[in-house]
Amino acid sequence: MLKVSVISPEAILFEGEADSVVAPAYDGELGILTGHAPLMALLGNGELRLGAGASGRRFTVSGGFLQVFNNDVRVVTEKATIAT
Amino acid sequence: MAKGRELKGRIKTVENTRKITRTMEMVATSKMKRAQDRVVAARPFANSLTEVIANLYTPELAERFPLLRQPATVNKAAVIVLTSNRGLAGAFNANLLKEARALLARLKGQNVEAELHVIGKKGLGYFRYVGRAVASSRVDIGDRPTAANAAEIVDELITRFASSEIDAVYVVYAKFQSALSTPPSTQMILPVTPPERSGPQPDYILLPSAEEILTQLLPSYVRNSVYRALVETAAGEQGARRTAMKNATDNAGEMLNVLRRTFNRARQAQITQEIAEIVGGAAALQG
């Protein structure tokens, strides 16, 4: 399982586990699964989807970055809203 | 019993004042609690951002980034002064303005032209009063500043700094150390002082490159510094107001004690006097 946190300047929007993360990177979608190498990626605009374990939560993000280290995924973005 | 009635009036006044200050104290306490939560909630973002910038920053890269450039001579600086919109918070705004004045004097001493950006009615009122030109002002940022507010304040300055129009940007704000201690502080947000790297770093895959990531994140870092200053000042204001109102409530209580004592003494004196008069009168009739 991946430990995922979605952080905006105002608050931590989500913190928990998910088995996959699909993020809108600067040049297209980027999928993260367990065991991913350490990664730092810029994000573009789009939808961030968390897979099973986080019951398919979705966020609309714009800008910021994503950091993966040791199955710990951190999405840090200036504008993030929980998508319905 | 003219004196008694006067005292009664004063007791009533002080009681009413105490009622108001006590209510304000309670309101400030609950507002401070929420503001404090926002200060805490802003931390993870700031920490993540600081960590990443510390990871990516290298002195070689620094020369290529406008936001990291360290101007050899500073000719023009922008000063953002954060104050509250409302008073009755003790020396809170006075302290912030004192800090701002000290900074402006220091800049003047170094022959730096300073332009002022004032947030909050109190600061604006002060600078208008002393007749200092204010480049821009905002009085619509309330108890709950947002990241968007911070961006609105600083984005223009970032662009102007990048184009070398200004050489430094300072923020004067109230640092929220605890509910009781909110000292005014000055922070230089531009040029960006790169954060210290802590410990060895894992070998990250960088998408697309360190340079690109820094280009995106540095403005974000600056905006976040301003956002933090905003939330800390908002929390500090409530903390200062709570302390001020608590003192006012305590003082009103003390004053009430003294007034009540004086009132009772006057009442007793009058009764004693009346008895003495009756006894005196009766004695005169008998004699």
Side-chain angles (χ1 to χ4, degrees):
Chain A
M1 282 301 238
L2 294 161
K3 271 202 292 186
V4 186
S5 45
V6 181
I7 303 169
S8 82
E10 278 124 11
I12 298 181
L13 293 176
F14 174 78
E15 199 161 28
E17 295 197 319
D19 60 3
S20 71
V21 175
V22 178
Y26 70 104
D27 60 350
E29 290 209 322
L30 173 72
I32 311 284
L33 292 172
T34 317
H36 200 289
L39 167 80
M40 224 181 273
L42 267 184
L43 298 181
N45 303 330
E47 193 185 49
L48 170 77
R49 296 193 296 275
L50 308 184
S55 53
R57 271 169 210 263
R58 286 150 187 270
F59 302 88
T60 311
V61 300
S62 148
F65 66 95
L66 170 135
Q67 188 183 14
V68 187
F69 180 64
N70 231 343
N71 287 335
D72 198 339
V73 181
R74 227 191 283 168
V75 181
V76 178
T77 168
E78 271 194 85
K79 286 191 201 104
T81 43
I82 297 169
T84 44
Chain B
M1 183 115 178
K3 203 189 169 202
R5 198 168 316 127
E6 215 170 79
L7 278 172
K8 229 173 187 170
R10 286 197 60 195
I11 289 174
K12 199 90 211 144
T13 317
V14 177
E15 267 174 358
N16 284 339
T17 310
R18 185 172 66 167
K19 226 178 260 174
I20 295 168
T21 57
R22 184 178 286 160
T23 315
M24 284 187 71
E25 181 193 337
M26 287 190 290
V27 171
T29 307
S30 87
K31 276 193 180 165
M32 188 193 70
K33 183 83 196 49
R34 268 174 293 157
Q36 211 171 348
D37 289 345
R38 273 192 289 279
V39 173
V40 174
R43 247 167 234 163
F45 185 86
N47 292 346
S48 310
L49 210 52
T50 310
E51 192 189 313
V52 168
I53 289 176
N55 275 348
L56 298 178
Y57 174 78
T58 54
E60 302 85 71
L61 275 175
E63 281 156 28
R64 299 219 290 278
F65 288 98
L67 295 191
L68 288 168
R69 94 192 148 88
Q70 305 280 349
T73 51
V74 179
N75 294 318
K76 191 163 184 195
V79 177
I80 306 173
V81 182
L82 307 182
T83 58
S84 69
N85 280 332
R86 285 184 210 151
L88 287 179
F92 180 74
N93 287 306
N95 285 341
L96 283 169
L97 291 171
K98 202 160 91 191
E99 177 86 12
R101 261 200 324 269
L103 174 66
L104 290 174
R106 205 170 69 227
L107 290 174
K108 204 173 176 192
Q110 294 163 354
N111 277 327
V112 178
E113 192 189 332
E115 59 169 51
L116 263 180
H117 299 264
V118 183
I119 316 299
K121 273 187 197 143
K122 290 289 155 185
L124 186 59
Y126 170 77
F127 286 112
R128 277 219 183 115
Y129 172 71
V130 297
R132 201 175 187 301
V134 172
S136 81
S137 63
R138 293 281 305 261
V139 292
D140 55 344
I141 297 172
D143 296 339
R144 231 171 303 162
T146 60
N149 290 146
E152 288 153 21
I153 294 169
V154 82
D155 272 353
E156 194 206 327
L157 295 175
I158 294 178
T159 326
R160 286 175 57 202
F161 180 84
S163 64
S164 303
E165 202 181 314
I166 44 179
D167 307 308
V169 178
Y170 297 89
V171 181
V172 176
Y173 71 107
K175 201 180 182 103
F176 190 79
Q177 282 175 348
S178 74
L180 294 175
S181 160
T182 55
S185 334
T186 305
Q187 197 194 351
M188 186 170 78
I189 55 165
L190 278 171
V192 173
T193 324
E196 289 283 314
R197 191 185 298 219
S198 57
Q201 297 307 323
D203 196 10
Y204 284 108
I205 303 171
L206 299 172
L207 288 178
S209 66
E211 210 177 323
E212 278 291 316
I213 297 179
L214 272 183
T215 312
Q216 293 289 320
L217 294 190
L218 282 173
S220 189
Y221 184 73
V222 176
R223 281 196 288 272
N224 189 247
S225 306
V226 176
Y227 174 67
R228 292 204 56 171
L230 280 174
V231 288
E232 290 200 22
T233 306
E237 179 197 345
Q238 300 303 337
R241 179 163 299 128
R242 193 187 74 160
T243 317
M245 287 302 117
K246 188 175 161 18
N247 289 340
T249 310
D250 292 350
N251 288 344
E254 250 166 57
M255 209 174 191
L256 270 181
N257 279 340
V258 174
L259 284 175
R260 286 211 180 104
R261 204 170 296 140
T262 323
F263 174 76
N264 284 338
R265 205 169 283 153
R267 190 174 55 92
Q268 250 173 5
Q270 179 164 20
I271 293 166
T272 314
Q273 195 192 338
E274 272 171 22
I275 291 173
E277 274 165 14
I278 290 165
V279 172
L285 282 179
Q286 272 174 2

